[in-house]
Amino acid sequence: MSGAADEEGGPGAGAGRAGARSEPEAPGSALSVDLQGLLGQLARSFALLLPVYALGYLGMSFSWVLLALGLLAWCRRSRGLKASRLCRALELLEDEERAVRLGVRACDLPAWVHFPDTERAEWLNKTVKHMWPFICQFIEKLFRETIEPAVRGANAHLSTFSFTKVDVGQQPLRVNGVKVYTENVDKRQIIMDLQISFVGNCEIDLEIKRYFCRAGVKSIQIHGTMRVILEPLIGDMPLVGALSIFFLRKPLLEINWTGLTNLLDIPGLNGLSDTIILDIISNYLVLPNRITVPLVSEVQIAQLRFPIPKGVLRIHFIEAQDLQGKDTYLKGLVKGKSDPYGIIRVGNQIFQSKIIKENLSPKWNEVYEALVYEHPGQELEIELFDEDPDKDDFLGSLMIDLTEVEKERLLDEWFTLDEVPKGKLHLKLEWLTLMPDAANLDKVLTDIRADKDQANDGLSSALLILYLDSARNLPSGRKMNSNPNPLVQMSVGHKAQESKIRYKTSEPVWEENFTFFIHNPKRQDLEVEVKDEQHQCSLGSLRIPLSQLLMSDNMTINQRFHLSNSGPNSTLKMKLALRVLHLEKQERPPDYQHSAQVKRPSVSKEGRKVPVKSQASVSPGTGGSNTAPSTPSMGEDKPVREEKPQPPEASPLGHRDLGRSSSSLLASPSHISAKEPTPSIASDISLPIATQELRQRLRQLENGTTLGQSPLGQIQLTIRHSSQRNKLIVVVHSCRNLIAFSEDGSDPYVRMYLLPDKRRSGRRKTHVSKKTLNPVFDQSFDFSVSLPEVQRRTLDVAVKNSGGFLSKDKGLLGKVLVALASEELAKGWTQWYDLTEDGTRPQVIT
């Protein structure tokens, strides 16, 4: 109130106060202060009223003001929630006992509270706390002496990049629990899981002086399970040959930005920015990637850094029964069914099934294959959701210990879903052993029916492990006397992967590892091409028949390969290993009961994060919880798993980042768009959801009548390769006799990929033609690819229905796969192609 009174007193009150002092002030001084405050108030009022006046002057709606105010309130609320989570985590680190007494949530408690085999490590935390100032000095030196010069040299625009401040903060890294594995491990190794938490009020500021750009980070939270492996144990000092460190899953990450990067805290962008950073971390520190530190020189560092997987898990995602109906109508008065789909996770590999519309007992019949590197601590995690336009409803979850699956080799049964009152899931799990000889290959090919067909896709009979080491004497590319930016593209059939880019060098060293699932190694080839990323030109290529590995010792080749269409001494050093996937069937008595254990999910239903379509998954859970053996229920053909309730684990679990990760070892799982299912590898068992819907629509249209030879219509294309431009040119002319998606017809457009490249940057699309079954496009597209390379590619052309915004009338109208292995490609041709459901067996209409 005194402040208000002073203001109301005005200049006279100010003069009275001045007279009471021992040294009187000039009467104008108080007036100048008031004038400055008055001008500031006027400026603030003008800044607030100017947008309103501008909107009225331009004749725009007042809704823009409300929208801006709503966005501002949303940003402030989001930043406030993030700050509160940071404060709560800091309180837990500073005084754990007091925080627990005040009612900390179960998911914030350290791991040793839940699991008796996880021990406290206070001695380690005290040691780290004492060493923390010196660790901070090392981190600052790392930023300034290693990261800063690397960023400056990466691009000419970043030549003025510098870190203006590097302060990691006063709060040290904390280890909440340690678990040491003593069973199912090699005698020459020690495996530990560390539950780590870092809540740092750090300040890391950077600046690019050339563009007057400043940005930074003011706090970081990271929580996850870090595995430490000491191997091999040796009889001489220091007793351990090497140290390997990695995260079992993507850690939970939260960042508060400052400066220009403060825009990344806007709701919608904050999840995207954290996802990108998590993907960068995954490329180095999430299984199967790892950091390996050799402690003795004799240790083979490559073998430790990229070990051969322990096995392959083949998952038959068959069906579910008695799911909950989550869809409602008339504001909940009428209850409907659900549109279920599944999220399947094995470590860092995530798959999404197709969506079954309006069904409480869906049948997926899909098959996925996942690599297993560390089965102690890794689980098979499955979550079911009901697909909705806004956010998806949870339908149940399941977690199975992979150590038990390895013992059983084969499991085919029903499992009860957790965290929901009803629902069960039918799975068939196969543990495939990696065999270093081809003795069982013919039997495996017969079992998966790969000995007769000529397909390159389907169930896998073998696994190809490729270690990309280095290259020598690469040519300079298009510009003479300039070093290229080389990268390597590898493909087997329609599966392609790409190495990292090495800048400004003709002697690149990659030291990266890749894996490919192989359908039939007797007929498939590995194609390798070294490219210059800067000029998009080929530096050399290589083709290796996989049958060559079958005749090699231990099915392994480690050598330097000479590159064709390259320099005279250009070589590429690689190590290739082929392993046959063999299912060892064990003899069981008739009354044998499976012992596979089902684990409780990591959080309760109330604490679960509902999946958001545009985000990526964060699942830093802890491995190794104790589980109770399941007991079969009565009245079922196959046993249904029942579990005893257990405390929730220490970390949240959501689903994001849906990707096809079974074919990649080094790179993070390739992103796919929201609600897009991961295609099942068993194409003879199930089809993608768009193809199934298209076949159902065809049956409805047929209705006892004959639709002709081209029931889905036809598309006219001109295809040719320009040697001058070194590009494949495709002209989409028109379509005819397409099927109608609604009473008003269809809104067709054409989408193209040059397989095996299915990245977003490789997609080409025409405009949308509204309400027509005979659209005319006449649009030309090009793909930068050489003639020898394009003849190994396939053009994937799909005609789709666009529909409106948030419309359900979106889907496939027809597809065609055009093989480009033709000698007439340089001349070109114009033809009509029949559209089919999946693009196979197209008929050409000249």
Side-chain angles (χ1 to χ4, degrees):
M1 295 297 294
S2 60
D6 290 343
E7 291 180 0
E8 291 173 0
R17 288 194 300 269
R21 298 174 184 170
S22 58
E23 294 182 3
E25 296 179 356
S29 62
L31 182 62
S32 63
V33 173
D34 289 341
L35 181 61
Q36 184 178 2
L38 180 62
L39 292 176
Q41 184 66 28
L42 288 175
R44 286 193 293 269
S45 302
F46 179 76
L48 290 174
L49 294 176
L50 180 61
V52 180
Y53 173 78
L55 288 175
Y57 181 80
L58 297 175
M60 301 177 68
S61 172
F62 186 74
S63 302
W64 289 102
V65 177
L66 299 179
L67 181 62
L69 292 176
L71 182 61
L72 179 62
W74 190 12
C75 292
R76 288 185 175 179
R77 179 176 177 273
S78 177
R79 294 178 63 85
L81 291 175
K82 185 177 290 189
S84 66
R85 289 194 296 269
L86 176 64
C87 293
R88 187 169 63 247
L90 286 172
E91 290 175 0
L92 180 63
L93 290 179
E94 291 174 357
D95 193 345
E96 186 174 302
E97 182 179 356
R98 179 175 177 273
V100 171
R101 288 178 177 177
L102 290 177
V104 179
R105 297 180 305 169
C107 64
D108 290 331
L109 292 176
W112 57 265
V113 175
H114 302 295
F115 313 118
D117 53 355
T118 301
E119 303 174 1
R120 299 188 66 176
E122 287 305 312
W123 65 270
L124 183 58
N125 290 323
K126 292 177 182 178
T127 304
V128 173
K129 185 176 182 179
H130 189 71
M131 296 172 57
W132 189 247
F134 303 96
I135 296 175
C136 293
Q137 292 178 18
F138 167 75
I139 294 176
E140 182 175 1
K141 186 181 297 184
L142 177 69
F143 271 80
R144 296 192 184 278
E145 298 181 3
T146 304
I147 299 178
E148 184 175 305
V151 173
R152 286 183 174 182
N155 194 300
H157 297 286
L158 300 176
S159 58
T160 58
F161 174 90
S162 64
F163 288 102
T164 57
K165 185 176 183 180
V166 179
D167 181 8
V168 187
Q170 303 300 320
Q171 291 294 336
L173 178 75
R174 182 173 178 82
V175 180
N176 293 327
V178 178
K179 177 177 179 179
V180 180
Y181 289 90
T182 57
E183 298 179 357
N184 301 316
V185 297
D186 195 323
K187 292 182 179 180
R188 298 190 62 191
Q189 67 177 190
I190 297 174
I191 300 179
M192 296 183 294
D193 284 347
L194 307 181
Q195 311 296 329
I196 67 168
S197 293
F198 176 65
V199 184
N201 49 353
C202 58
E203 291 186 36
I204 302 175
D205 298 330
L206 58 90
E207 181 181 17
I208 304 177
K209 296 180 180 179
R210 181 176 180 179
Y211 299 104
F212 306 100
C213 175
R214 293 183 179 181
V217 173
K218 65 180 179 181
S219 69
I220 296 177
Q221 284 195 64
I222 184 167
H223 309 272
T225 302
M226 176 174 286
R227 173 155 294 183
V228 179
I229 300 180
L230 307 175
E231 66 171 340
L233 302 181
I234 55 180
D236 298 320
M237 293 302 292
L239 301 180
V240 178
L243 172 71
S244 299
I245 302 173
F246 55 89
F247 283 101
L248 286 173
R249 305 187 188 104
K250 285 184 180 180
L252 176 64
L253 178 71
E254 189 167 291
I255 299 176
N256 281 347
W257 303 93
T258 61
L260 183 64
T261 50
N262 203 24
L263 295 173
L264 298 178
D265 269 335
I266 296 177
L269 289 181
N270 54 356
L272 179 62
S273 62
D274 290 352
T275 298
I276 295 173
I277 295 172
L278 274 175
D279 287 340
I280 296 174
I281 295 175
S282 298
N283 285 343
Y284 294 95
L285 268 178
V286 178
L287 189 71
N289 309 299
R290 60 187 69 198
I291 292 179
T292 302
V293 181
L295 303 180
V296 292
S297 59
E298 292 81 7
V299 176
Q300 294 183 2
I301 188 68
Q303 183 177 357
L304 291 175
R305 186 179 295 159
F306 303 112
I308 292 178
K310 299 292 191 301
V312 171
L313 181 65
R314 182 175 290 160
I315 307 162
H316 297 259
F317 193 64
I318 303 175
E319 59 181 323
Q321 284 186 3
D322 198 24
L323 298 179
Q324 286 183 292
K326 291 289 186 177
D327 293 341
T328 58
Y329 306 96
L330 298 178
K331 295 186 177 181
L333 296 178
V334 179
K335 288 193 173 183
K337 298 183 179 181
S338 293
D339 305 324
Y341 69 94
I343 301 296
I344 304 164
R345 180 184 293 108
V346 179
N348 203 33
Q349 304 164 83
I350 305 176
F351 313 93
Q352 177 179 336
S353 75
K354 61 190 176 187
I355 302 170
I356 306 296
K357 297 289 186 179
E358 297 290 331
N359 201 326
L360 299 182
S361 297
K363 294 185 178 181
W364 292 282
N365 290 324
E366 296 189 330
V367 186
Y368 304 101
E369 291 173 342
L371 299 173
V372 180
Y373 290 89
E374 299 287 336
H375 48 71
Q378 274 197 292
E379 299 90 19
L380 168 64
E381 305 171 41
I382 300 178
E383 293 178 306
L384 300 185
F385 293 93
D386 167 39
E387 189 260 351
D388 283 320
D390 46 3
K391 60 181 180 180
D392 299 345
D393 297 318
F394 178 67
L395 294 177
S397 66
L398 187 66
M399 187 180 294
I400 300 177
D401 192 345
L402 293 185
T403 304
E404 301 297 332
V405 179
E406 182 189 13
K407 292 178 182 178
E408 298 295 337
R409 302 294 178 182
L410 176 64
L411 282 175
D412 185 0
E413 53 191 271
W414 289 86
F415 296 90
T416 299
L417 295 173
D418 287 320
E419 304 184 79
V420 287
K422 62 178 182 177
K424 49 188 178 179
L425 181 64
H426 184 194
L427 298 175
K428 180 181 177 182
L429 306 177
E430 299 175 346
W431 180 272
L432 305 178
T433 307
L434 305 184
M435 306 297 291
D437 57 76
N440 298 312
L441 179 59
D442 292 335
K443 182 179 182 302
V444 172
L445 293 175
T446 303
D447 292 341
I448 66 172
R449 302 176 184 177
D451 55 338
K452 297 180 181 180
D453 62 3
Q454 300 292 324
N456 289 328
D457 297 315
L459 295 177
S460 302
S461 64
L463 180 71
L464 175 65
I465 304 165
L466 187 153
Y467 178 66
L468 177 63
D469 188 284
S470 59
R472 287 183 182 174
N473 303 318
L474 293 179
S476 58
R478 291 184 178 178
K479 290 187 178 181
M480 299 298 294
N481 301 324
S482 65
N483 288 326
N485 298 337
L487 61 90
V488 180
Q489 292 180 344
M490 297 143 287
S491 63
V492 178
H494 290 164
K495 303 170 186 175
Q497 297 185 58
E498 191 173 279
S499 74
K500 295 179 181 178
I501 303 171
R502 294 294 180 255
Y503 293 95
K504 304 297 181 181
T505 177
S506 59
E507 307 265 337
V509 177
W510 288 282
E511 293 183 342
E512 300 181 33
N513 198 62
F514 303 89
T515 56
F516 291 90
F517 282 107
I518 306 301
H519 183 59
N520 190 342
K522 294 184 177 181
R523 287 198 294 261
Q524 292 183 271
D525 298 334
L526 170 67
E527 298 180 4
V528 181
E529 184 175 13
V530 184
K531 283 190 170 183
D532 182 5
E533 186 271 341
Q534 183 177 5
H535 300 106
Q536 292 296 318
C537 63
S538 177
L539 301 177
S541 60
L542 177 68
R543 178 190 289 262
I544 303 174
L546 297 183
S547 57
Q548 182 179 340
L549 284 166
L550 297 175
M551 298 179 290
S552 303
D553 184 27
N554 200 31
M555 293 202 296
T556 302
I557 298 177
N558 186 8
Q559 68 179 60
R560 285 196 172 273
F561 298 88
H562 288 277
L563 295 172
S564 59
N565 303 319
S566 185
N569 299 318
S570 299
T571 60
L572 185 67
K573 185 177 181 181
M574 296 187 299
K575 181 179 180 180
L576 306 175
L578 191 67
R579 295 293 182 264
V580 176
L581 304 181
H582 177 57
L583 175 62
E584 299 178 3
K585 296 183 179 179
Q586 301 181 359
E587 297 293 334
R588 302 293 191 189
D591 57 346
Y592 177 79
Q593 293 290 334
H594 293 306
S595 61
Q597 295 180 337
V598 178
K599 296 188 173 185
R600 299 296 298 176
S602 57
V603 292
S604 62
K605 184 178 178 181
E606 288 76 11
R608 174 175 302 277
K609 291 184 178 180
V610 177
V612 183
K613 301 168 189 173
S614 61
Q615 296 177 342
S617 79
V618 174
S619 53
T622 59
S625 64
N626 290 339
T627 55
S630 56
T631 57
S633 63
M634 304 300 294
E636 295 292 337
D637 296 335
K638 296 182 180 179
V640 179
R641 296 297 181 191
E642 302 287 347
E643 311 84 25
K644 295 179 182 179
Q646 293 185 357
E649 296 184 6
S651 57
L653 180 68
H655 103 264
R656 303 158 151 186
D657 202 31
L658 307 175
R660 188 184 314 178
S661 52
S662 61
S663 61
S664 174
L665 247 175
L666 182 82
S668 59
S670 58
H671 297 282
I672 59 177
S673 59
K675 299 297 180 61
E676 182 177 344
T678 307
S680 170
I681 58 174
S683 56
D684 58 336
I685 298 177
S686 64
L687 293 169
I689 183 63
T691 304
Q692 283 204 349
E693 290 180 349
L694 185 56
R695 288 191 171 180
Q696 292 175 2
R697 191 173 296 109
L698 269 179
R699 288 194 291 268
Q700 294 173 359
L701 290 174
E702 187 174 2
N703 196 20
T705 63
T706 302
L707 293 177
Q709 294 183 351
S710 305
L712 297 179
Q714 297 166 345
I715 183 171
Q716 188 183 33
L717 303 173
T718 294
I719 304 174
R720 70 180 181 89
H721 186 272
S722 173
S723 57
Q724 294 180 348
R725 300 170 58 190
N726 203 31
K727 291 184 178 181
L728 175 70
I729 300 174
V730 181
V731 181
V732 181
H733 294 287
S734 60
C735 299
R736 63 187 182 191
N737 302 325
L738 299 178
I739 62 173
F741 231 88
S742 63
E743 296 179 356
D744 297 329
S746 297
D747 299 333
Y749 68 95
V750 179
R751 183 271 301 151
M752 292 183 293
Y753 286 111
L754 190 59
L755 299 179
D757 183 11
K758 296 196 71 172
R759 296 173 298 177
R760 182 176 293 273
S761 59
R763 183 175 62 183
R764 306 291 187 268
K765 291 173 58 176
T766 67
H767 65 264
V768 179
S769 293
K770 294 291 186 179
K771 298 180 181 180
T772 178
L773 303 182
N774 300 285
V776 177
F777 301 103
D778 287 331
Q779 287 184 253
S780 179
F781 303 91
D782 57 69
F783 298 86
S784 296
V785 60
S786 63
L787 182 60
E789 182 183 355
V790 77
Q791 291 180 336
R792 302 193 298 265
R793 302 288 195 95
T794 301
L795 183 65
D796 180 355
V797 183
V799 183
K800 294 189 172 184
N801 186 67
S802 173
F805 182 65
L806 296 180
S807 172
K808 293 185 178 180
D809 292 334
K810 296 182 180 181
L812 184 67
L813 293 173
K815 190 175 181 180
V816 60
L817 296 175
V818 183
L820 301 177
S822 173
E823 297 179 355
E824 302 294 327
L825 189 59
K827 298 180 180 178
W829 63 80
T830 300
Q831 292 177 345
W832 285 94
Y833 293 89
D834 281 351
L835 298 173
T836 61
E837 300 96 332
D838 54 4
T840 58
R841 299 183 301 278
Q843 299 177 6
V844 179
I845 308 298
T846 59

